[in-house]
Amino acid sequence: LELREVTAATVGGMATARGELDLEPLSGTLHIAARDFDPARIDERLAGRIGGDFDITLASAPILSAAGAIEGELHGRDLDGQVRGSYTNEAIAIERAYLRLDGGSIELDGTFGPAPMDVRFDADVPQIAAWYPPVHGTLAASGTGRGAAQDAALEARIGRRGFAVAGMPIPPLDELAAAINGTLAAHTVALHGRGVIGAARAELAQ
């Protein structure tokens, strides 16, 4: 079966798909091209144009594999990203996924599913406003999740400096930090904040 062309207009842009499909056994390839998506259609505080190209392969093992690249601009700054992964009956495996904008990056890789998971994320955002204008400050975060999905071992560190949200009736925070340790069933969350009106700490446990 030849898929000559399927087009869809959405979010101010256009997506086009072409490919080939065999029904017995189920296999095939698909190329999707996305152009000129307008993020302001989702949130009017976002301005730019985003597109990308994605290649998807259907087979017996893994059932599906995909790789793609994202590019465009957000608030006048170049945006780019990549994703590469696969899906089987047991898990979703992300070999690598990242977004980069204005010297900042968000990255994710690992395996999700009923079998033991092994996930890592990392974010380094010198200017949050470059990504989302209502929020100001810097963001650094990293973490892991490992073990059985229903009770994975968690570890995460999140830190923000110069944190402020436009339109919120709270004073800016010079520092906001959180640390998570434990498992899904039993973990602790430590919070620390410091700003012009003082400092506070809290620790929660489940």
Side-chain angles (χ1 to χ4, degrees), residues 53-87:
D53 289 276
F54 305 90
D55 290 298
I56 300 170
T57 301
L58 295 171
S60 56
I63 295 174
L64 182 150
S65 59
I70 299 169
E71 61 180 7
E73 59 93 10
L74 198 60
H75 312 296
R77 300 173 172 90
D78 291 338
L79 171 74
D80 74 277
Q82 287 189 3
V83 60
R84 185 171 61 250
S86 60
Y87 167 76

Coordinates of all heavy atoms in Angstrom, one line a residue, residues 53-87:
D53 N 10.9 17.2 10.8 CA 10.8 16.1 9.9 C 11.0 14.8 10.8 O 11.9 14.7 11.6 CB 11.9 16.1 8.9 CG 11.6 17.2 7.8 OD1 10.8 16.9 6.9 OD2 12.1 18.3 7.9
F54 N 10.1 13.8 10.6 CA 10.1 12.6 11.4 C 9.9 11.4 10.5 O 9.1 11.3 9.6 CB 8.9 12.7 12.4 CG 8.9 13.9 13.2 CD1 8.2 15.0 12.8 CD2 9.6 13.9 14.4 CE1 8.3 16.2 13.6 CE2 9.6 15.1 15.2 CZ 8.9 16.2 14.8
D55 N 10.8 10.4 10.8 CA 10.7 9.1 10.0 C 10.3 8.0 11.0 O 10.9 7.8 12.1 CB 12.1 8.8 9.4 CG 12.4 9.7 8.3 OD1 11.7 9.7 7.3 OD2 13.4 10.5 8.4
I56 N 9.3 7.2 10.6 CA 8.7 6.2 11.5 C 8.8 4.9 10.7 O 8.4 4.8 9.5 CB 7.3 6.5 11.9 CG1 7.2 7.8 12.6 CG2 6.7 5.3 12.7 CD1 5.8 8.3 12.9
T57 N 9.3 3.8 11.4 CA 9.4 2.5 10.8 C 8.6 1.5 11.6 O 8.8 1.4 12.8 CB 10.9 2.0 10.7 OG1 11.6 3.0 9.9 CG2 11.0 0.7 10.0
L58 N 7.7 0.7 10.9 CA 7.0 -0.3 11.6 C 7.6 -1.7 11.2 O 7.9 -1.9 10.1 CB 5.5 -0.3 11.1 CG 4.6 0.9 11.4 CD1 3.3 0.8 10.7 CD2 4.4 0.9 12.9
A59 N 7.7 -2.5 12.2 CA 8.4 -3.8 12.0 C 7.9 -4.8 13.1 O 7.1 -4.4 13.9 CB 9.9 -3.7 11.9
S60 N 8.5 -6.0 13.1 CA 8.1 -6.9 14.2 C 8.8 -6.7 15.5 O 8.2 -6.8 16.5 CB 8.4 -8.4 13.7 OG 9.8 -8.5 13.3
A61 N 10.1 -6.3 15.4 CA 10.9 -6.0 16.6 C 12.0 -5.1 16.3 O 12.9 -5.4 15.6 CB 11.4 -7.3 17.2
P62 N 11.9 -3.8 16.9 CA 10.8 -3.3 17.7 C 9.6 -3.1 16.8 O 9.7 -3.0 15.6 CB 11.4 -2.0 18.3 CG 12.4 -1.6 17.2 CD 13.0 -2.9 16.7
I63 N 8.4 -3.0 17.5 CA 7.2 -2.7 16.7 C 7.3 -1.4 16.0 O 6.8 -1.3 14.8 CB 6.0 -2.8 17.7 CG1 5.8 -4.2 18.3 CG2 4.7 -2.4 16.9 CD1 4.8 -4.3 19.3
L64 N 7.8 -0.4 16.6 CA 7.9 0.9 16.0 C 9.2 1.6 16.4 O 9.6 1.5 17.6 CB 6.7 1.7 16.4 CG 6.6 3.1 15.9 CD1 5.1 3.5 15.8 CD2 7.3 4.2 16.7
S65 N 9.9 2.2 15.4 CA 11.0 3.0 15.7 C 10.9 4.3 15.1 O 10.2 4.4 14.0 CB 12.3 2.3 15.3 OG 12.3 2.1 13.9
A66 N 11.4 5.4 15.7 CA 11.2 6.7 15.1 C 12.4 7.6 15.4 O 13.1 7.4 16.4 CB 9.9 7.3 15.8
A67 N 12.6 8.5 14.5 CA 13.7 9.5 14.6 C 13.2 10.8 14.0 O 12.5 10.8 12.9 CB 15.0 9.0 14.0
G68 N 13.5 11.9 14.6 CA 13.0 13.2 14.0 C 13.9 14.3 14.5 O 14.6 14.2 15.5
A69 N 13.7 15.4 13.8 CA 14.4 16.7 14.1 C 13.4 17.8 14.1 O 12.5 17.9 13.3 CB 15.5 17.0 13.1
I70 N 13.5 18.7 15.1 CA 12.6 19.9 15.2 C 13.5 21.1 15.0 O 14.6 21.2 15.5 CB 12.0 19.9 16.6 CG1 11.2 18.7 16.9 CG2 11.2 21.2 16.8 CD1 10.7 18.5 18.3
E71 N 12.9 22.1 14.3 CA 13.7 23.3 14.1 C 12.6 24.5 13.9 O 11.5 24.2 13.6 CB 14.6 23.2 12.9 CG 13.8 23.0 11.6 CD 14.8 22.9 10.4 OE1 16.0 22.9 10.6 OE2 14.3 22.9 9.3
G72 N 13.1 25.6 14.2 CA 12.3 26.8 14.1 C 12.8 27.9 14.9 O 14.0 28.0 15.2
E73 N 11.9 28.8 15.3 CA 12.3 29.9 16.2 C 11.2 30.2 17.2 O 10.0 30.1 16.9 CB 12.6 31.2 15.3 CG 11.5 31.7 14.4 CD 10.7 32.8 15.1 OE1 11.1 33.3 16.2 OE2 9.6 33.1 14.6
L74 N 11.6 30.7 18.3 CA 10.7 31.0 19.4 C 11.1 32.3 20.0 O 12.3 32.5 20.4 CB 10.7 29.9 20.5 CG 9.6 29.9 21.5 CD1 8.2 29.7 20.8 CD2 9.8 28.8 22.5
H75 N 10.3 33.4 19.9 CA 10.6 34.7 20.3 C 11.9 35.2 19.7 O 12.7 35.9 20.3 CB 10.7 34.7 21.9 CG 9.6 34.0 22.6 ND1 8.3 34.5 22.5 CD2 9.6 32.9 23.3 CE1 7.5 33.7 23.2 NE2 8.3 32.7 23.7
G76 N 12.0 35.0 18.4 CA 13.2 35.5 17.7 C 14.4 34.7 17.9 O 15.5 35.1 17.4
R77 N 14.4 33.6 18.6 CA 15.6 32.8 18.9 C 15.5 31.4 18.3 O 14.4 30.8 18.2 CB 15.8 32.7 20.4 CG 16.0 34.0 21.2 CD 16.0 33.7 22.7 NE 16.3 34.9 23.4 CZ 15.4 35.8 23.9 NH1 14.1 35.6 23.6 NH2 15.7 36.8 24.6
D78 N 16.6 30.9 17.7 CA 16.6 29.6 17.1 C 16.3 28.5 18.0 O 16.9 28.4 19.1 CB 18.0 29.4 16.4 CG 18.2 30.3 15.2 OD1 17.2 30.8 14.7 OD2 19.4 30.5 14.8
L79 N 15.4 27.6 17.6 CA 15.1 26.4 18.4 C 15.4 25.2 17.6 O 15.1 25.2 16.4 CB 13.5 26.5 18.7 CG 12.9 25.2 19.3 CD1 13.3 25.1 20.8 CD2 11.4 25.2 19.2
D80 N 16.0 24.2 18.2 CA 16.2 23.0 17.5 C 16.2 21.8 18.5 O 16.3 22.0 19.7 CB 17.6 22.9 16.8 CG 18.8 22.8 17.7 OD1 19.2 23.8 18.3 OD2 19.2 21.7 17.9
G81 N 15.9 20.6 18.0 CA 15.8 19.5 18.8 C 15.8 18.2 18.0 O 15.7 18.2 16.8
Q82 N 16.0 17.1 18.7 CA 16.0 15.8 18.1 C 15.3 14.8 19.0 O 15.3 15.0 20.3 CB 17.4 15.3 17.8 CG 18.1 16.0 16.7 CD 19.4 15.3 16.3 OE1 19.7 14.3 16.8 NE2 20.1 15.9 15.3
V83 N 14.7 13.8 18.5 CA 14.2 12.6 19.2 C 14.5 11.4 18.5 O 14.3 11.3 17.2 CB 12.7 12.8 19.5 CG1 11.9 12.9 18.2 CG2 12.1 11.7 20.4
R84 N 14.8 10.3 19.2 CA 15.1 9.0 18.6 C 14.8 7.9 19.6 O 15.2 8.0 20.7 CB 16.6 8.9 18.2 CG 17.0 7.7 17.5 CD 18.4 7.7 16.9 NE 19.4 7.8 18.0 CZ 20.1 8.9 18.2 NH1 20.0 10.0 17.5 NH2 21.0 8.9 19.2
G85 N 13.9 7.0 19.2 CA 13.5 6.0 20.1 C 12.7 4.9 19.4 O 12.6 4.8 18.2
S86 N 12.2 4.0 20.3 CA 11.5 2.8 19.7 C 10.4 2.3 20.8 O 10.5 2.7 21.9 CB 12.4 1.6 19.4 OG 13.1 1.3 20.6
Y87 N 9.5 1.5 20.2 CA 8.4 1.0 21.1 C 8.3 -0.5 20.9 O 8.3 -1.0 19.7 CB 7.1 1.7 20.8 CG 5.9 1.0 21.4 CD1 5.6 1.1 22.7 CD2 5.1 0.2 20.6 CE1 4.5 0.5 23.3 CE2 4.0 -0.5 21.1 CZ 3.7 -0.3 22.5 OH 2.6 -1.0 23.0

